[in-house]
């Protein structure tokens, strides 16, 4: 276990809770929240609370749904329809490249599919959704999740700076995050640092991208002859209902500001929890890390070029 300080369990838990509460304040953005979590993990040690993964999932979904109350429904519909083709091409291209790379480097088919789906669609959610269909072992799932998480953490830290360096507009950066970052938490976290418009576009486009997990699961079930049940991301439906609700009953400016701050605070807390629960898996190996990194860098570079050139 990585740690520099050796605190008693109750002191460590108290510090963990205190830092988590600090991340809820508006002064702590997503990048700082992730850095605080990573610092806690490596200085204090891993927190031994089993329900953290479920808590992260619940907080993330609550944050996204709450954000839906602050987004104009017409704008959300436009973002989804305008970028549908772009997102579709991106997903198919990344999955195809992942398949080709796995053949070239002779990588395990299931592991390469897990990493490719995580890169193309929605990170850990995609991995968890298709793993039962592939009948992937726990080790392969763990390796794929480790690779995706490391790249997610890196994306939150570097994407805003890259966006400013490339002089991207809010719309361009929001779409770039939605297409080129794996998990929804990191997409929203990076976009929130860049600006409000980027955040709204990134969230809407990302949820559109997430829906591609359904046709992928259907295809894999057909080719693998597997009857595993589909897992529809129900919080996407609640996000849509939130959009419709706020179009019928608009929020006041003060209320909208409060709801937005609440949503951003929850997202910062999610990234803190993710950083503090980072798992260093010695059995991951170099090949999966290189595979996932090359696939992700390709996605980042090609999508940035396409967005700057045509969007």
């Amino acid at each position: 276990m990585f740690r520099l300080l050796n605190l008693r369990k109750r002191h460590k838990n108290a510090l963990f809770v205190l830092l988590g509460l600090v991340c809820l304040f508006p002064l702590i953005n997503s990048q700082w929240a992730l850095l605080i979590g990573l610092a806690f993990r490596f200085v204090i040690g891993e927190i031994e609370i089993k329900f953290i993964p479920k808590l992260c999932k619940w907080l993330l979904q609550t944050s996204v749904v709450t954000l839906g109350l602050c987004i104009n429904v017409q704008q959300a519909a436009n973002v989804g329809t305008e970028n549908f083709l772009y997102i579709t091409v991106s997903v198919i291209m990344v999955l195809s490249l992942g398949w080709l790379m796995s053949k070239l480097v002779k990588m395990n088919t299931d592991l390469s599919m897990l990493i490719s789906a995580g890169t193309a669609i929605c990170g850990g959610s995609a991995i968890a959704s298709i793993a039962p269909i592939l009948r992937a072992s726990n080790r392969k799932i763990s390796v794929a999740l480790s690779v995706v998480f490391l790249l997610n953490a890196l994306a939150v830290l570097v994407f805003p700076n890259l966006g400013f360096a490339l002089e991207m507009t809010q719309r361009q950066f929001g779409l770039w995050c939605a297409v080129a970052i794996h998990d929804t938490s990191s997409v929203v976290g990076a976009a929130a640092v860049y600006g409000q418009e980027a955040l709204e576009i990134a969230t809407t486009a990302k949820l559109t991208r997430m829906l591609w997990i359904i046709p992928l699961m259907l295809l894999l079930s057909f080719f693998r002859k597997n009857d595993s049940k589909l897992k529809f991301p129900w919080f996407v439906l609640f996000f849509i209902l939130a959009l419709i609700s706020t179009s019928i009953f608009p929020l006041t400016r003060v209320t909208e500001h409060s709801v937005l701050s609440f949503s951003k605070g929850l997202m910062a807390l999610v990234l803190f929890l993710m950083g503090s629960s980072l798992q260093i898996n010695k059995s991951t190996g170099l090949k999966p890390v290189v595979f996932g990194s090359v696939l992700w860098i390709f996605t980042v570079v090609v999508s940035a070029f396409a967005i700057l050139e045509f969007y």
Side-chain angles (χ1 to χ4, degrees):
M1 177 181 290
F2 293 87
R3 71 173 70 175
L4 297 179
L5 297 180
N6 190 16
L7 299 180
R8 292 184 178 180
K9 184 176 181 179
R10 61 181 181 180
H11 294 156
K12 184 168 69 172
N13 289 347
L15 179 60
F16 176 78
V17 173
L18 177 61
L19 291 175
L21 292 175
V22 168
C23 290
L24 291 172
F25 286 88
L27 292 176
I28 306 297
N29 64 26
S30 302
Q31 289 178 313
W32 277 109
L34 178 61
L35 287 172
I36 292 171
L38 291 171
F40 183 94
R41 173 65 179 88
F42 287 103
V43 176
I44 307 300
E46 183 182 359
I47 195 72
E48 298 175 3
I49 302 179
K50 295 181 178 179
F51 61 80
I52 284 183
K54 290 185 178 180
L55 179 61
C56 282
K57 180 179 179 180
W58 185 83
L59 289 174
L60 169 62
Q61 294 178 353
T62 302
S63 174
V64 171
V65 172
T66 305
L67 182 61
L69 295 172
C70 305
I71 300 177
N72 180 274
V73 65
Q74 186 60 49
Q75 177 186 342
N78 290 339
V79 170
T81 54
E82 289 175 3
N83 300 304
F84 181 78
L85 180 60
Y86 186 87
I87 292 171
T88 300
V89 171
S90 172
V91 170
I92 295 175
M93 183 172 60
V94 174
L95 288 175
S96 300
L97 179 62
W99 176 83
L100 179 61
M101 284 176 54
S102 69
K103 299 300 180 184
L104 292 175
V105 301
K106 297 180 180 179
M107 189 171 173
N108 178 272
T109 303
D110 289 347
L111 180 56
S112 65
M113 176 55 70
L114 290 172
I115 296 175
S116 297
T119 305
I121 302 176
C122 52
S125 298
I127 293 171
S129 297
I130 70 171
I133 299 174
L134 299 176
R135 295 189 177 91
S137 65
N138 289 334
R139 180 187 174 280
K140 291 174 184 174
I141 297 172
S142 176
V143 168
L145 288 173
S146 297
V147 171
V148 165
F149 179 83
L150 288 172
L151 297 176
N152 262 317
L154 181 61
V156 175
L157 298 176
V158 304
F159 256 59
N161 293 329
L162 288 175
F164 287 124
L166 294 171
E167 299 182 347
M168 285 186 166
T169 66
Q170 293 281 320
R171 290 177 62 81
Q172 288 174 331
F173 186 78
L175 180 59
W176 190 38
C177 287
V179 171
I181 301 180
H182 308 72
D183 279 315
T184 304
S185 57
S186 296
V187 169
V188 176
V193 176
Y194 209 77
Q196 175 62 23
E197 185 181 359
L199 174 61
E200 294 178 1
I201 291 173
T203 303
T204 306
K206 174 60 178 177
L207 296 184
T208 303
R209 177 183 165 199
M210 274 191 68
L211 295 177
W212 276 98
I213 192 60
I214 297 174
L216 178 61
M217 292 177 68
L218 289 171
L219 283 172
L220 289 176
S221 297
F222 175 78
F223 286 110
R224 293 296 182 97
K225 294 180 173 57
N226 191 308
D227 296 327
S228 297
K229 294 182 179 179
L230 296 180
K231 296 181 180 180
F232 182 81
W234 289 105
F235 80 97
V236 176
L237 176 61
F238 288 112
F239 174 79
I240 296 172
L241 291 176
L243 291 175
I244 297 173
S245 172
T246 197
S247 67
I248 300 174
F249 306 104
L251 302 179
T252 64
R253 181 169 297 183
V254 174
T255 303
E256 182 177 326
H257 178 74
S258 299
V259 171
L260 181 61
S261 297
F262 175 74
S263 178
K264 289 182 177 179
L266 287 184
M267 185 52 59
L269 178 56
V270 169
L271 290 169
F272 166 75
L273 293 174
M274 289 175 60
S276 63
S277 58
L278 172 66
Q279 295 288 339
I280 304 298
N281 194 333
K282 295 181 180 180
S283 64
T284 298
L286 183 60
K287 183 181 285 189
V289 174
V290 173
F291 177 88
S293 299
V294 171
L295 193 60
W296 180 58
I297 292 172
F298 171 84
T299 306
V300 169
V301 173
V302 172
S303 59
F305 174 80
I307 287 171
L308 289 171
E309 188 70 21
F310 304 110
Y311 192 69

